């Protein structure tokens, strides 16, 4: 007989475990329905060609006699008597039967009472009645959706744009956040106020922020161009107009600037909390040894802050790969010449503008694979360089 | 006591709703357009007390399209919805054949310019239809251009000065319908008549593309509506835009304190102008026959002369039936309103609609991509057209 470890044998252990799972249940249900189920489905759908249509199911009847007159009647939305009689045998009521739609040599007959649909198809000289089963048509296509994605110039553009966005905005935000946190860590007047101000962009809804930046970036009335022209006037030169939202070269930078601004305060706050958790003794020891401010920052603050830096880096990288709302609102489209088309935006338009669900799912699986691989790399290789204070 | 009152209320409400059929109607009409639609639906309900219309504003066109795609996929579409032709091609199976439910005379009354046959079926009817016209500043352009040549000359005369905010004309990349109008005027088309070949990059297409590229040098090119720029005080001497933008453009000009007028689009080999705007279709999925019949009654009501004319007057859309457009109500109205007469004449002279190809959704998104390249001078027109044609060929070949 297998002997369980002592803690697994106690009643209290199982009672507490059950209680814990009970508390977890609501979260698990919500996550299950809205996260895990769609997540798994995206994998499945990426291997299918998915369309919505009424699909013929099992054959119900084969009608052979008087086909011409039947097709004529059906074409006018009337149901031939013979067919009514046949369906009545299956429990249908005459007044519940009607032709729902027709398409070339194909009709859909509805039995409203039994909530049943039949597809009538003319094949040769026979009229075959199928039971209509589903509105989803899933044809397995193997990896063809993935191949199609990589062949689609829009997808490669989206991939490239997203990588560029992540590659610039994540390090830039982190660097500025580090500087900001260092500043906020000094004893300066009104420190609490500045901390609040820096956190505000993060708690403001992204839609509101993007609308404001839309104005800031406006070619004619925008704040940014106003400042540019004012500075130009100061130096007596002619101002050039930056068309942030309509120039393909400026759209992605505009997106990056906005989001760096949006996240820098939040990241600074996390880093600041980390800085304040560093034992003062290290700094005092360094001062006794005559270390300069830069040396203290470089040799003590940064290494001891590495867990927080690492956390912020991973979280912001994953978040940046998923950028979508800002593009959708700022450019009301994928940006000039699709210069701000990102992977999630591509997924969204493929699914909800053109109904290519399989292709959209494949693109989202590719995005998942990229994020997964990069996170794995960071958790294994990069994390080795992180100092955890003992 | 309170419980009894509640029970009584439930009974009364239940009786009140007895025998009524409820239909849902999804639309994308905001502002004054939404108000006009609401009042038409209220009038319908007063005339048809057995029908309750659940009128749902879904946001802009793209939001409506996205919601419809999801709703059809989930098998829960509304009874009735506004839809563009290229959306309709994605859910042909989910729509009712309207000739089964609408009286023949209603369908026969629709103007041929708006006729829509999808794979031999009539599944939508035109509703809010507009046409491209020329908006111009009479203070800068006293005589609006009648030909491409005059247009190009005037545009160059006004020129382009970004610092001062002055432009000869304006184009929007998301609006490739202007290119299609030029293409038709040059005698070209996207596809051959049997849809087997791409003809967009032949001689006629090149003429249209080169004309657009030449005039785009003096144009304000932006994704936002041109009225946004006008409102900010930017000077655009003239631009081609939909008649549905009439109220928006006029209000923008008023805000900026500048005059604005409407003329027909300049012509080349013919005076074609593209029709835009949506149609109405009834979904059959998850609907009872009573709901479909009620929706068909609402369509027939909306296509009645008095209602069409009311709708057109309130919105700047065009009457869609012969009875309405040639009828006394509309003719008297446009006799007083020269701008609406221009729009009406433009429609009758050269209105043409969307290509009803099942892949038009994808074709249009390619048109947008390459129209933008053309407007921004990213390559020679010939090269851009050839690349576009190759991509369209691969889309229709799939």
């Amino acid at each position: 007989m297998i002997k369980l470890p002592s803690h697994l044998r106690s009643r209290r252990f199982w009672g507490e475990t059950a209680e814990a799972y009970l508390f977890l249940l609501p979260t698990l249900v919500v996550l299950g329905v809205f996260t895990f189920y769609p997540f798994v489905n995206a994998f499945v759908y990426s291997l299918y060609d998915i369309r919505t249509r009424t699909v013929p199911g099992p054959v119900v009847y084969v009608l052979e006699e008087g086909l011409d007159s039947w097709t004529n009647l059906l074409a006018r939305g009337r149901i031939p008597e013979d067919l009514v009689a046949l369906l009545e045998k299956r429990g249908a009521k005459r007044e519940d039967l009607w032709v729902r739609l027709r398409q070339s040599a194909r009709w859909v007959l509805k039995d409203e009472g039994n909530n049943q649909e039949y597809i009538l198809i003319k094949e040769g000289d026979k009229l075959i009645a199928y039971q209509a089963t589903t509105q989803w048509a899933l044809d397995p296509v193997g990896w063809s959706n993935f191949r199609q994605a990589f062949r689609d110039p829009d997808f490669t553009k989206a991939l490239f744009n997203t990588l560029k966005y992540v590659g610039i905005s994540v390090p830039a935000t982190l660097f500025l956040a580090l500087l900001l946190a260092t500043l906020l860590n000094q004893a300066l007047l009104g420190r609490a106020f500045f901390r609040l101000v820096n956190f505000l962009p993060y708690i403001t809804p992204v839609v509101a922020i993007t609308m404001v930046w839309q104005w800031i970036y406006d070619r004619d009335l925008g704040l940014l161009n106003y400042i540019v022209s004012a500075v130009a006037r100061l130096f007596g030169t002619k101002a050039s107009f930056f068309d942030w939202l309509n120039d393909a070269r400026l759209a992605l930078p505009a997106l990056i600037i906005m989001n760096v601004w949006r996240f820098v305060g939040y990241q600074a706050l996390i880093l600041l909390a980390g800085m304040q958790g560093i034992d003062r003794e290290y700094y005092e020891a360094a001062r006794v040894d005559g270390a300069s401010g830069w040396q203290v920052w470089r040799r003590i603050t940064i290494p001891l802050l590495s867990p927080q830096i690492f956390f912020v880096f991973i979280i912001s990288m994953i978040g940046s790969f998923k950028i979508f709302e800002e593009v959708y609102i700022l450019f009301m489209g994928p940006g000039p010449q699709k210069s701000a088309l990102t992977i999630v935006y591509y997924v969204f338009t493929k699914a909800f503008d053109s109904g290519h669900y399989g292709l959209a799912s494949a693109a989202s699986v590719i995005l998942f694979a990229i994020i997964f691989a990069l996170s794995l790399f960071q958790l294994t290789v990069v994390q080795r360089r992180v100092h955890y204070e003992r | 006591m309170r419980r009894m009152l509640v029970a009584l209320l439930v009974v009364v409400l239940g009786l009140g709703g007895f025998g009524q059929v409820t239909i849902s109607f999804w639309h994308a009409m905001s502002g004054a357009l939404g108000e006009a639609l609401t009042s038409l639906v209220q009038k319908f309900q007063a005339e048809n007390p057995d029908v309750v219309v659940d009128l749902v504003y879904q946001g802009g066109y793209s939001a409506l399209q996205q919601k419809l795609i999801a709703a059809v996929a989930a098998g829960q579409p509304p009874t009735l919805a506004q839809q563009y032709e290229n959306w309709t091609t994605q859910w042909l199976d989910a729509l009712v054949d309207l000739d089964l439910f609408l009286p023949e005379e209603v369908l026969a009354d629709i103007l041929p310019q708006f006729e829509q046959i999808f794979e031999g079926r009539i599944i939508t009817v035109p509703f809010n239809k507009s046409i491209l016209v020329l908006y111009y500043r009479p203070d800068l352009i006293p005589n609006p251009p009648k030909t491409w040549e005059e247009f190009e000359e005037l545009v160059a005369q006004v020129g382009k000065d970004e610092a001062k905010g002055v432009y000869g004309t304006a184009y929007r990349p998301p609006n490739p319908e202007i290119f299609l109008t030029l293409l038709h005027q040059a005698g070209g088309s996207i596809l051959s008549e049997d849809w087997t070949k791409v003809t967009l990059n032949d001689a006629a297409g090149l003429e249209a593309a080169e004309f657009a590229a030449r005039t785009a040098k003096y144009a304000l090119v932006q994704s936002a509506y041109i009225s946004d720029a006008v409102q900010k005080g930017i000077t655009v001497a003239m631009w081609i835009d939909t008649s549905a933008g009439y109220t928006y453009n006029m209000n923008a000009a008023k805000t900026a304190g500048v005059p604005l007028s409407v003329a027909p689009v300049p012509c080349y080999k013919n005076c074609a102008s593209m029709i835009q705007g949506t149609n109405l279709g009834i979904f059959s999925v998850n609907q009872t026959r009573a709901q479909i019949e009620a929706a068909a009654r609402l369509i027939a009501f909306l296509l009645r002369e008095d209602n069409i004319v009311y709708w057109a007057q309130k919105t700047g859309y065009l009457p869609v039936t012969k009875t309405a457009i040639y009828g006394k109500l509309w003719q008297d109205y446009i006799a007083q309103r020269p701008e609406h007469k221009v729009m009406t004449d433009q429609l009758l002279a050269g209105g043409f609609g969307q290509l009803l190809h099942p892949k038009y959704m994808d074709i249009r998104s390619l048109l947008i991509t390459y129209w933008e390249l053309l407007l921004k001078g990213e390559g020679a027109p010939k090269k851009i057209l050839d690349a576009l044609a190759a991509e369209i060929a691969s889309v229709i070949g799939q």
Side-chain angles (χ1 to χ4, degrees):
Chain A
M1 200 181 136
I2 304 159
K3 243 187 153 189
L4 285 165
S6 62
H7 73 276
L8 287 185
R9 272 176 285 156
S10 78
R11 275 179 72 101
R12 202 169 135 220
F13 170 79
W14 289 110
E16 278 178 3
T17 304
E19 199 179 330
Y21 276 110
L22 204 64
F23 278 114
L24 284 173
L25 190 66
T27 314
L28 284 178
V29 168
V30 172
L31 279 177
V33 172
F34 294 106
T35 305
F36 300 135
Y37 176 71
F39 180 76
V40 172
N41 263 2
F43 277 91
V44 177
Y45 288 166
S46 68
L47 301 173
Y48 285 87
D49 179 23
I50 303 159
R51 265 163 294 142
T52 48
R53 60 172 178 223
T54 324
V55 192
V59 174
V60 183
Y61 299 112
V62 179
L63 313 168
E64 295 184 40
E65 286 167 52
L67 187 65
D68 281 347
S69 59
W70 286 352
T71 47
N72 282 338
L73 278 173
L74 281 164
R76 273 179 280 129
R78 302 227 186 87
I79 309 156
E81 279 304 312
D82 316 45
L83 192 54
V84 175
L86 280 170
L87 291 173
E88 274 179 336
K89 279 193 200 145
R90 280 177 72 93
K93 283 191 195 127
R94 174 180 293 269
E95 61 270 24
D96 288 342
L97 294 173
W98 55 291
V99 178
R100 184 166 78 85
L101 60 89
R102 67 153 198 276
Q103 198 184 354
S104 47
R106 175 181 148 169
W107 295 268
V108 175
L109 194 71
K110 189 159 178 172
D111 176 358
E112 202 157 277
N114 298 319
N115 204 11
Q116 186 68 257
E117 284 184 358
Y118 302 95
I119 298 177
L120 309 175
I121 299 174
K122 189 179 161 187
E123 282 177 20
D125 54 352
K126 293 192 182 91
L127 191 69
I128 304 180
Y130 298 88
Q131 195 160 320
T133 44
T134 171
Q135 278 116 23
W136 281 98
L138 279 92
D139 303 316
V141 290
W143 299 101
S144 127
N145 285 326
F146 290 90
R147 276 199 297 272
Q148 205 188 330
F150 282 113
R151 271 205 305 263
D152 186 348
D154 280 1
F155 179 74
T156 37
K157 189 161 206 172
L159 195 62
F160 180 69
N161 285 344
T162 310
L163 288 175
K164 204 156 118 189
Y165 171 79
V166 174
I168 298 173
S169 80
V170 171
T173 316
L174 189 58
F175 177 72
L176 290 174
L178 214 52
L179 288 185
L180 194 65
T182 310
L183 282 179
L184 290 174
N185 202 22
Q186 314 297 315
L188 77 154
L189 193 69
R191 194 163 65 165
F193 172 74
F194 286 118
R195 280 183 200 167
L196 172 73
V197 166
N198 278 301
F199 201 58
L200 272 178
Y202 184 72
I203 51 174
T204 311
V206 54
V207 176
I209 284 181
T210 314
M211 300 290 279
V212 171
W213 278 86
Q214 217 172 32
W215 164 70
I216 292 177
Y217 285 138
D218 190 285
R219 182 192 50 220
D220 309 298
L221 300 177
L223 183 67
L224 218 52
N225 275 351
Y226 175 77
I227 294 171
V228 168
S229 64
V231 170
R233 255 202 307 277
L234 212 65
F235 291 99
T237 53
K238 199 168 167 254
S240 51
F241 280 82
F242 293 104
D243 198 353
W244 294 95
L245 302 178
N246 284 297
D247 190 325
R249 288 161 305 173
L250 293 176
L252 202 61
L255 197 64
I256 292 171
I257 293 171
M258 183 182 93
N259 266 356
V260 166
W261 171 83
R262 183 166 157 232
F263 286 110
V264 78
Y266 166 70
Q267 295 190 2
L269 211 72
I270 294 176
L271 297 177
L272 181 63
M275 280 181 190
Q276 289 178 341
I278 297 173
D279 202 330
R280 313 298 317 167
E281 279 178 22
Y282 293 112
Y283 291 109
E284 277 155 24
R287 206 178 310 141
V288 170
D289 288 345
S292 70
W294 162 254
Q295 282 172 325
V296 169
W297 192 73
R298 174 71 191 80
R299 302 280 169 196
I300 296 179
T301 311
I302 297 298
L304 290 177
L305 198 61
S306 56
Q308 282 79 17
I309 294 177
F310 182 65
F311 167 78
V312 164
F313 189 69
I314 280 215
I315 292 296
S316 71
M317 191 202 70
I318 294 174
S320 299
F321 266 109
K322 298 194 295 185
I323 182 167
F324 167 72
E325 301 96 317
E326 294 90 334
V327 180
Y328 190 76
I329 301 161
L330 199 57
F331 304 103
M332 293 178 295
Q337 285 156 259
K338 302 190 181 161
S339 53
L341 179 68
T342 63
I343 301 184
V344 178
Y345 194 94
Y346 176 87
V347 169
F348 177 76
T349 49
K350 283 298 162 197
F352 296 107
D353 278 354
S354 33
H356 299 313
Y357 304 104
L359 180 59
S361 301
S364 67
V365 168
I366 295 169
L367 175 64
F368 167 76
I370 293 171
I371 296 180
F372 186 73
L374 281 175
S375 304
L376 213 62
F377 172 77
Q378 289 177 336
L379 286 172
T380 51
V381 180
V382 183
Q383 191 160 27
R384 271 191 234 130
R385 299 179 59 92
V386 174
H387 283 269
Y388 288 100
E389 211 178 347
R390 274 165 241 263
Chain B
M1 184 62 198
R2 188 185 286 170
R3 210 178 283 172
M4 268 180 68
L5 274 177
V6 170
L8 196 69
L9 199 67
V10 168
V11 169
V12 168
L13 286 177
L15 280 179
F18 187 74
Q20 273 189 334
V21 52
T22 302
I23 60 171
S24 49
F25 181 1
W26 289 7
H27 69 96
M29 300 282 93
S30 60
L33 316 183
E35 283 164 27
L37 184 59
T38 306
S39 71
L40 277 175
V41 164
Q42 279 165 355
K43 186 174 161 199
F44 171 77
Q45 286 187 319
E47 285 180 26
N48 299 270
D50 59 324
V51 181
V52 178
V53 181
D54 187 9
L55 194 61
V56 189
Y57 172 62
Q58 292 288 13
Y61 281 129
S62 51
L64 175 63
Q65 181 200 2
Q66 284 143 13
K67 283 175 187 169
L68 280 174
I69 283 199
V72 171
Q76 303 277 338
T79 322
L80 187 64
Q82 275 185 308
Q83 48 199 282
Y84 271 103
E85 293 86 342
N86 53 345
W87 310 355
T88 304
T89 53
Q90 293 184 63
W91 48 64
L92 292 177
D93 277 12
L95 292 167
V96 169
D97 286 272
L98 291 178
D99 51 341
L100 299 183
F101 293 92
L102 279 176
E104 214 167 285
E105 59 271 19
V106 171
L107 291 172
D109 194 24
I110 290 168
L111 278 165
Q113 283 88 340
F114 297 120
E115 206 171 74
Q116 298 145 15
I117 310 281
F118 293 87
E119 295 182 2
R121 302 166 58 203
I122 301 172
I123 44 183
T124 58
V125 291
F127 175 54
N128 56 314
K129 289 301 203 178
S130 55
I131 193 146
L132 291 175
V133 287
L134 183 76
Y135 290 83
Y136 71 100
R137 289 266 302 265
D139 54 332
L140 304 171
I141 313 273
N143 298 306
K146 292 200 169 53
T147 62
W148 283 16
E149 215 185 325
E150 289 175 25
F151 181 83
E152 198 176 337
E153 214 170 279
L154 286 165
V155 163
Q157 239 172 56
V158 177
K160 171 176 168 180
D161 185 341
E162 279 181 273
K164 281 191 192 147
V166 176
Y167 300 88
T169 186
Y171 291 116
R172 293 182 58 225
N175 200 188
E177 282 67 27
I178 292 175
F179 174 69
L180 296 180
T181 296
L182 298 175
L183 180 68
H184 269 74
Q185 289 201 355
S189 60
I190 303 176
L191 302 179
S192 61
E193 214 145 274
D194 58 358
W195 290 356
T196 54
K197 262 180 48 204
V198 181
T199 51
L200 167 124
N201 55 339
D202 63 10
L206 193 60
E207 275 188 285
E210 280 175 345
F211 173 76
R214 284 197 308 271
T215 49
K217 289 195 186 119
Y218 307 102
L220 167 70
V221 177
Q222 63 168 31
S223 295
Y225 289 110
I226 308 305
S227 56
D228 288 359
V230 172
Q231 192 151 9
K232 289 191 298 198
I234 302 288
T235 301
V236 182
M238 57 183 164
W239 72 99
I240 298 171
D241 198 356
T242 159
S243 62
Y246 179 72
T247 45
Y248 298 94
N249 288 334
M250 286 300 167
N251 284 339
K254 210 168 139 191
T255 309
V258 295
L260 192 65
S261 220
V262 179
V265 289
C267 305
Y268 186 43
K269 289 177 181 155
N270 59 55
C271 292
S273 177
M274 189 157 179
I275 294 166
Q276 286 176 270
T278 67
N279 312 301
L280 294 177
I282 302 177
F283 286 96
S284 59
V285 176
N286 202 31
Q287 312 291 335
T288 65
R289 176 155 45 172
Q291 284 175 308
I292 289 171
E293 281 167 353
R297 254 153 71 201
L298 176 54
I299 288 184
F301 169 88
L302 292 172
L303 294 184
R304 216 167 66 191
E305 186 187 355
D306 53 338
N307 296 325
I308 288 183
V309 171
Y310 171 83
W311 176 240
Q313 287 175 348
K314 289 279 170 195
T315 59
Y317 289 117
L318 291 158
V320 293
T321 65
K322 295 172 204 160
T323 319
I325 207 160
Y326 297 120
K328 195 176 164 347
L329 277 173
W330 183 250
Q331 290 299 328
D332 283 354
Y333 179 75
I334 58 174
Q336 308 289 322
R337 311 245 173 173
E339 272 130 21
H340 289 86
K341 183 162 171 17
V342 167
M343 296 170 192
T344 307
D345 293 345
Q346 181 89 67
L347 169 73
L348 296 173
F352 71 94
Q354 218 175 60
L355 180 68
L356 297 183
H357 191 279
K359 289 278 166 76
Y360 188 71
M361 186 87 232
D362 296 323
I363 296 175
R364 186 172 184 271
S365 101
L366 290 172
L367 284 171
I368 292 175
T369 306
Y370 286 89
W371 175 232
E372 182 168 17
L373 295 179
L374 190 67
L375 293 177
K376 292 190 171 167
E378 307 270 337
K382 170 85 180 131
K383 228 176 111 190
I384 293 174
L385 268 196
D386 286 345
L388 169 60
E391 284 216 44
I392 293 178
S394 99
V395 162
I396 61 168
Q398 272 168 20

